Amino acid sequence: MNDAISFILNSETISLKDFGPTDTLLDYLRISKRLTGTKEGCAEGDCGACTVLVGRLLDGSLRYESVNACIRFLGSLHGTHIVTVEHLAARDGTLHPVQQAMVDFHGSQCGFCTPGFIMSLYGLWLSSENPGRADIEKALQGNLCRCTGYEPIVRAAEKIAAARPSALFDPLQRDRTDIMARLWAIRANETITVTHGEDRTIIPATLAELTEIYAAEPKATIVAGSTDVGLWVTKQMRALNPVIFINNLGDLQTIAVDEEGVTLGAGVTYSQAFKTIADHFPPLARLFDRLGGEQVRNMGTIGGNIANGSPIGDTPPALIALGATLTLRSSSGNRSLPLESYFIDYGKQDRLSGEFVEKLFIPFRKPESLYAVYKISKRRDEDISALCGAFNLTLDADDTVEDIRIAFGGMAGTPKRAAHLEAALLGKPWRQETIDAARDVLDEDFTPLTDWRATAEYRQLTAKNLLTRFFLETSGQKQELSRFSLQEA
């Protein structure tokens, strides 16, 4: 058993054993290594000032992704290559083309957010040879600027997309073969346990070892992407001990597609799953595009979004409407259950001691089914849902409701199906009169709360209006919403 993690920081290989399970990459960079180009802005993964790249070996290749250093724990970084803004310029001080473009197009004013923007644009530059405007805007969703209005930054991104320098200039292209060899040499072959005072960081080498460790440590906190757990530490100041990091386990990052549907390992990130989801469930992929910024999607896992049981988690309502099934694993074996059954009450899930989420199965929809997901939030990007509604409808040849699944998040203590509303629609003609009669049935399904995101009245009315919207979008009718009162609209 090993007692230290190893990673590459820019060009230096580091072995580290003196750290706690909730020590962040941001603090390590700024305090221990004095790499102060990486800034702390929000400390919750929203502003992007702390953006760095993390490279990891994935399916035999080296993949770099932008991440938020403020909520990324050191224990999750074994076997990775961490790249900060200080690594981009040439050895003689010549700026990298990404940096130079920001200068040329006046993309920096106060400068605080600039290193984070540069690292996000650098990640895009590495992964896409010809990004369009939409790609650039998506890559910058997780970076906030109070000064420039963004347009100069976008123009800088367009410039570097059009003129790419020799690979010999760029450090990550020039040294890729060497970095891959060094990462292969330090990858985990055995479980790592780092002790720091009374705290322990545990990094299982295999899925089997995770199963046995969690059976022995059922009160440990399992961390994959830390996009939620990170805030427990930076905002709530919670002490976590021990912490089990699982983002190195390839067995939890598998994506399989067969004739029945898609199976995702619990450790698959939103970014990893995006193409498969977009190919088979386009509305769900559009929801993915509104989950945090690119940094959050690169870190956050679908399994983690489910496992923590948040009533406002975005993916559970959409997956429940699709009839998804969850597989839980423990040392006693595996068991499967419908995703909707996993959520019992606020903060309570159907997970026994020593059990963890292993994988998720999403069945394919019927070819004739109609599916939509709607997220309601105060701002379009990087915001938590006030509520999220998902609809999965099958009509027969006479446009009568043959099957329907409706699920909402943010309306109750758990993500939940609208059972009474489904029953009111089943077997009825898919017409305006049916929708009008069924809207108030939603009052039997939910009694939402008022909080800082929305009032109970707003949530209830908006959920009803989402039903109407889904009808209008699926019925082919061009109807005016003016028949609802101004208060309702």
Side-chain angles (χ1 to χ4, degrees), residues 2 22 51 93 96 113 166 179 181 185 248 260 283 287 289 298 316 323 361 365 367 380 400 403 419 472-473 489:
N2 202 343
T22 58
T51 301
H96 189 280
C113 67
S166 166
I179 293 295
N248 64 307
E260 300 296 327
L287 175 69
D289 273 345
N298 289 336
F361 173 71
R365 300 178 294 127
R380 189 184 189 283
T400 297
D403 186 35
L472 293 174
E473 290 181 350

Side-chain angles (χ1 to χ4, degrees), residues 399-422:
D399 280 346
T400 297
V401 178
E402 182 179 289
D403 186 35
I404 189 164
R405 295 175 65 94
I406 302 173
F408 284 97
M411 295 286 287
T414 65
K416 182 183 172 185
R417 285 178 69 178
H420 291 91
L421 178 59
E422 291 175 357

Side-chain angles (χ1 to χ4, degrees), residues 366-407:
K366 298 177 182 178
E368 66 274 17
S369 69
L370 303 165
Y371 176 59
V373 185
Y374 307 108
K375 174 175 177 172
I376 305 299
S377 55
K378 289 186 176 181
R379 64 175 185 250
R380 189 184 189 283
D381 295 324
E382 280 209 296
D383 203 2
I384 298 172
S385 293
L387 74 153
C388 183
F391 302 79
N392 190 8
L393 168 70
T394 303
L395 301 174
D396 65 15
D398 297 321
D399 280 346
T400 297
V401 178
E402 182 179 289
D403 186 35
I404 189 164
R405 295 175 65 94
I406 302 173

Side-chain angles (χ1 to χ4, degrees), residues 222-237:
I222 295 179
V223 175
S226 71
T227 54
D228 195 19
V229 176
L231 274 67
W232 299 357
V233 174
T234 62
K235 296 301 179 182
Q236 301 176 19
M237 307 302 173

Side-chain angles (χ1 to χ4, degrees), residues 128-208:
S128 178
E129 291 199 359
N130 190 28
R133 176 92 181 203
D135 300 313
I136 294 168
E137 292 180 355
K138 180 177 176 179
L140 297 179
Q141 278 176 313
N143 294 81
L144 302 181
C145 177
R146 299 292 186 186
C147 304
T148 67
Y150 298 97
E151 188 61 29
I153 300 172
V154 173
R155 288 201 297 269
E158 291 172 336
K159 171 64 182 300
I160 61 176
R164 303 178 69 86
S166 166
L168 294 176
F169 180 92
D170 181 72
L172 299 192
Q173 296 189 72
R174 182 188 63 229
D175 302 331
R176 180 172 290 266
T177 301
D178 174 63
I179 293 295
M180 287 185 68
R182 292 164 66 185
L183 291 180
W184 276 113
I186 63 176
R187 70 190 187 281
N189 293 315
E190 57 183 350
T191 292
I192 299 171
T193 300
V194 178
T195 302
H196 182 74
E198 297 183 354
D199 297 333
R200 285 176 298 138
T201 297
I202 305 171
I203 307 168
T206 66
L207 182 57

